[in-house]
Amino acid sequence: MFKIKVLNHDVIEEILGMKEVIEVVEKVYTLKSEEKTELFPMVFHEFERGIADMDIKSGHLKGIDIFGLKLVTWFGENHKKNLPPLIGTIMVFDSKTGKPLGILNAEYITGMRTGAAGAIGAKYLARKDSENLLMIGTGHISTFQIAATLIAMDNIKTVRIYDPINHDNARKLSESIKETLMNKFLSKYEVGTEIYKEINEKFDIYFEAVNDIKEAVSLSDVIITATPSRKPLIMKKWVKKGTHFSCVGADMEGKQEIDENIFGVARVYVDDINQAVNVGETEIPVKKGIITKENIIAEIGDVITERAKGRISDDDITIYDTTGIALQDLLTSKLVLDISEEKGLGVEVNL
């Protein structure tokens, strides 16, 4: 018999800070670059086509001695039963003994690590003097993307927000985002500390909703896309030299957020090459022959560890295709488990 920690959504949200998650996700990419990780094949099953499915993403962080999985289910008719349609659970194990270390609600961890991933792409590939951020999409993940990118970058002064379906969603987010950033992200840090002052200053910028995506693209230095789109929202002819894209939404075959022809003139980076060409934004450009798998410059971890070059000039258009990998969930979960142990939070269960 041994003890295992169980952490719910509220405890995780209370103790997890975005700056620390950015550091953790960077660590994941570094370990992957150093070949100290392993991703296991993804499992996907449809219980009923278009109504109920599940997927399991899993892996091993050899450099940290943990392995585990994230299981996400989608049951589209759960609202009839007063249940959320999307439910995620993470399990973390000790890779030296096989002992389970924790069971965690996956929702907040997924949002945080996804936001961190998009931001890391911008941090390492966008121009350092970038001032204008365009957020495409206003769903749940958009707040995490904005928070992480502002924390990771030093000179963003304006955030424009665009919703491809309903402009009112962009307007509402632009009006509420500053309060959300202060209450949900800045509040994790002690008032008066250097980190508090730094993040507070980065959040104190201008936010606006935009209705003309063509004009917004032309004004933007960094563009983050986080939608479920299956057709391009941004066309190549709108994109100015020096623009960086972090493409977050495409995580399934057939999804697409930007014109595939942009890939033909861009330096392309990914979180995992095999996932990117199969289910990421890179999938369609490869299938249409605009680029090949070999045209991908590198995985982002190789840029962080300086095994590969990132942006070469201010005129480069750069793309970071992040499909999301289980390793991000696992190391973020390890961070949460460690903090919860220090603070005496969560529930311990005897198995």
Side-chain angles (χ1 to χ4, degrees):
M1 183 182 292
F2 42 79
K3 293 181 179 179
I4 181 172
K5 181 73 67 110
V6 180
L7 298 176
N8 66 20
H9 177 280
D10 291 345
V11 170
I12 295 168
E13 183 174 5
E14 177 186 341
I15 63 180
L16 196 56
M18 182 59 85
K19 189 172 179 65
E20 291 72 31
V21 175
I22 292 171
E23 292 170 358
V24 161
V25 175
E26 282 197 28
K27 178 67 173 178
V28 167
Y29 292 148
T30 299
L31 290 170
K32 194 171 189 298
S33 175
E34 295 170 346
E35 300 183 351
K36 295 178 180 177
T37 66
E38 185 177 4
L39 283 172
F40 306 148
M42 189 175 85
V43 175
F44 176 78
H45 177 73
E46 281 190 307
F47 299 101
E48 192 171 353
R49 187 171 179 82
I51 295 177
D53 62 49
M54 72 94 186
D55 68 72
I56 301 172
K57 292 181 178 179
S58 55
H60 179 199
L61 285 149
K62 293 178 277 190
I64 307 293
D65 294 326
I66 60 170
F67 72 96
L69 59 90
K70 180 171 77 172
L71 191 156
V72 177
T73 62
W74 179 76
F75 281 67
E77 297 187 352
N78 267 4
H79 65 278
K80 297 177 183 177
K81 304 171 185 176
N82 293 319
L83 292 171
L86 201 66
I87 301 172
T89 305
I90 298 168
M91 296 185 69
V92 184
F93 299 82
D94 185 319
S95 63
K96 287 189 172 181
T97 65
K99 174 187 172 183
L101 300 175
I103 299 174
L104 303 90
N105 181 292
E107 181 184 350
Y108 195 73
I109 289 172
T110 300
M112 292 287 276
R113 65 83 157 159
T114 304
I120 289 166
K123 175 182 175 180
Y124 284 95
L125 298 173
R127 299 191 331 271
K128 299 304 179 188
D129 62 352
S130 295
E131 295 185 352
N132 294 281
L133 169 64
L134 173 60
M135 181 71 234
I136 307 289
T138 60
H140 173 68
I141 205 68
S142 60
T143 302
F144 294 100
Q145 294 295 332
I146 292 170
T149 305
L150 293 180
I151 290 171
M153 300 193 72
D154 292 329
N155 296 302
I156 299 296
K157 293 181 171 57
T158 300
V159 176
R160 296 180 176 88
I161 301 169
Y162 175 80
D163 188 292
I165 297 174
N166 186 345
H167 175 68
D168 201 44
N169 291 335
R171 179 189 60 78
K172 289 177 181 176
L173 182 58
S174 69
E175 292 173 353
S176 65
I177 184 65
K178 187 173 288 190
E179 182 179 355
T180 301
L181 292 173
M182 298 298 182
N183 292 340
K184 296 289 188 180
F185 297 94
L186 181 62
S187 62
K188 304 291 176 67
Y189 303 99
E190 186 178 347
V191 177
T193 60
E194 288 304 311
I195 187 171
Y196 182 96
K197 293 175 184 176
E198 176 190 336
I199 295 174
N200 184 49
E201 184 176 340
K202 288 183 172 184
F203 285 174
D204 189 20
I205 59 171
Y206 180 65
F207 299 89
E208 70 168 344
V210 293
N211 208 13
D212 186 339
I213 187 172
K214 180 179 177 181
E215 180 184 25
V217 168
S218 71
L219 295 171
S220 300
D221 305 307
V222 178
I223 300 174
I224 298 179
T225 59
T227 75
S229 178
R230 289 183 173 268
K231 62 180 181 180
L233 302 170
I234 296 173
M235 306 311 295
K236 175 188 171 187
K237 61 185 177 181
W238 304 344
V239 181
K240 68 179 182 180
K241 292 179 180 179
T243 301
H244 168 74
F245 291 90
S246 282
C247 298
V248 177
D251 59 357
M252 185 183 297
E253 187 176 352
K255 285 188 177 182
Q256 182 182 16
E257 299 184 291
I258 67 174
D259 184 349
E260 63 269 20
N261 293 296
I262 300 173
F263 279 76
V265 296
R267 292 177 62 82
V268 181
Y269 302 82
V270 300
D271 54 4
D272 181 78
I273 290 176
N274 288 328
Q275 267 192 203
V277 299
N278 286 303
V279 299
E281 191 70 33
T282 310
E283 175 214 348
I284 290 174
V286 169
K287 283 185 174 177
K288 290 189 174 182
I290 293 166
I291 63 168
T292 67
K293 186 176 178 179
E294 289 67 35
N295 292 133
I296 297 171
I297 303 294
E299 293 186 352
I300 193 69
D302 292 336
V303 177
I304 295 171
T305 58
E306 299 184 345
R307 286 171 165 80
K309 290 184 177 180
R311 172 177 294 275
I312 293 174
S313 79
D314 284 347
D315 287 343
D316 285 337
I317 294 172
T318 54
I319 297 173
Y320 177 50
D321 180 7
T322 172
T323 54
I325 53 179
L327 305 174
Q328 300 164 331
D329 299 293
L330 295 176
L331 197 53
T332 305
S333 295
K334 178 66 164 57
L335 171 66
V336 175
L337 288 167
D338 290 344
I339 297 172
S340 69
E341 190 66 28
E342 291 173 12
K343 294 180 177 291
L345 297 173
V347 176
E348 281 193 335
V349 178
N350 283 319
L351 287 183

